[in-house]
Amino acid sequence: MGIMQNTDGYRPGEECSHCKGRCCREKGCSLAPSDLERAIETRGLTGNEREKILSLLQEEGNLYAIDRFHLEGKEIYYMRMRHHAYTFVGEDAIGICAALTAAGCILSEEDRPKGGRYLESRPDGYCIQHYGADEMAEDWLPYQESLSSIYWEYFQRFKEDGTFDKCDEEYFRFLRTFREGSIF
């Protein structure tokens, strides 16, 4: 079972190597605002909040996406790890995390988003996420205006120019390669 590290979360357990990151193969983990702020600071991005987030999302090799969920009748925008072959607009409900490789996560334990650090691995394969919707909604509340404006601007653009369709096609090519065993 994953071992709690003070308030830093859980270390991946032996179970993760046995299941080859089943959680990571189903969906990219959620970021907390502190993860976003660290990524922005590390890269030295400047501008207002929206400009810094957009610069991060548009950089070469970007690992992040804006997504949304509903909680108590409200739409909550947040950031998570991007899925292989998809854009930074999270219209792909499930997918393999862009940080997952055959050797595991490319991120160090310290650099993993809160959703990854707060995932408790379990021997039965039913891992427990300790960074839930209520906490995420509260954490991301100050970012709603910036995230929602980026999300809808690019959602519309990607829908109209066919980007989402191209992503789907690329993802299915990726899955064929994945299933053939030449990726993981």
Side-chain angles (χ1 to χ4, degrees):
M1 214 178 317
I3 301 168
M4 188 68 167
Q5 304 175 313
N6 302 324
T7 58
D8 294 334
Y10 295 82
R11 293 180 186 201
E14 188 67 28
E15 304 85 13
C16 297
S17 62
H18 294 300
C19 75
K20 297 183 179 176
R22 188 180 87 195
C23 298
C24 304
R25 286 184 283 125
E26 293 175 357
K27 188 169 187 176
C29 54
S30 304
L31 276 71
S34 58
D35 301 317
L36 170 65
E37 292 161 8
R38 184 176 62 239
I40 288 171
E41 184 178 317
T42 300
R43 289 159 178 81
L45 301 176
T46 59
N48 64 36
E49 179 181 275
R50 186 182 192 284
E51 291 167 343
K52 290 188 278 190
I53 293 170
L54 192 54
S55 292
L56 179 68
L57 293 171
Q58 293 178 326
E59 75 180 6
E60 183 75 28
N62 166 46
L63 290 174
Y64 309 110
I66 298 174
D67 210 336
R68 61 195 171 127
F69 63 92
H70 291 85
L71 182 68
E72 298 173 2
K74 292 182 182 176
E75 198 160 54
I76 308 296
Y77 295 87
Y78 70 103
M79 290 188 64
R80 63 160 168 78
M81 296 301 290
R82 188 179 54 76
H83 297 152
H84 275 284
Y86 283 99
T87 70
F88 60 83
V89 174
E91 276 305 294
D92 50 327
I94 60 171
I96 298 171
C97 178
L100 183 63
T101 68
C105 185
I106 63 171
L107 301 174
S108 68
E109 286 185 36
E110 300 79 38
D111 289 334
R112 290 182 184 163
K114 188 171 184 177
R117 295 189 317 268
Y118 277 63
L119 183 66
E120 180 183 357
S121 62
R122 308 288 299 206
D124 62 5
Y126 294 97
C127 302
I128 300 170
Q129 180 54 258
H130 294 278
Y131 185 45
D134 289 331
E135 186 178 357
M136 286 175 59
E138 185 176 325
D139 286 353
W140 286 104
L141 186 61
Y143 294 84
Q144 294 304 289
E145 186 177 329
S146 294
L147 294 177
S148 65
S149 72
I150 294 169
Y151 183 96
W152 288 111
E153 175 185 344
Y154 284 88
F155 174 86
Q156 197 60 36
R157 184 180 298 180
F158 293 160
K159 187 176 177 183
E160 290 172 5
D161 72 8
T163 297
F164 289 137
D165 294 332
K166 292 173 192 165
C167 290
D168 288 341
E169 292 167 11
E170 180 60 31
Y171 189 67
F172 289 121
R173 269 193 296 280
F174 171 81
L175 284 179
R176 281 192 295 278
T177 307
F178 176 80
R179 286 190 191 122
E180 292 167 1
S182 55
I183 294 180
F184 294 85

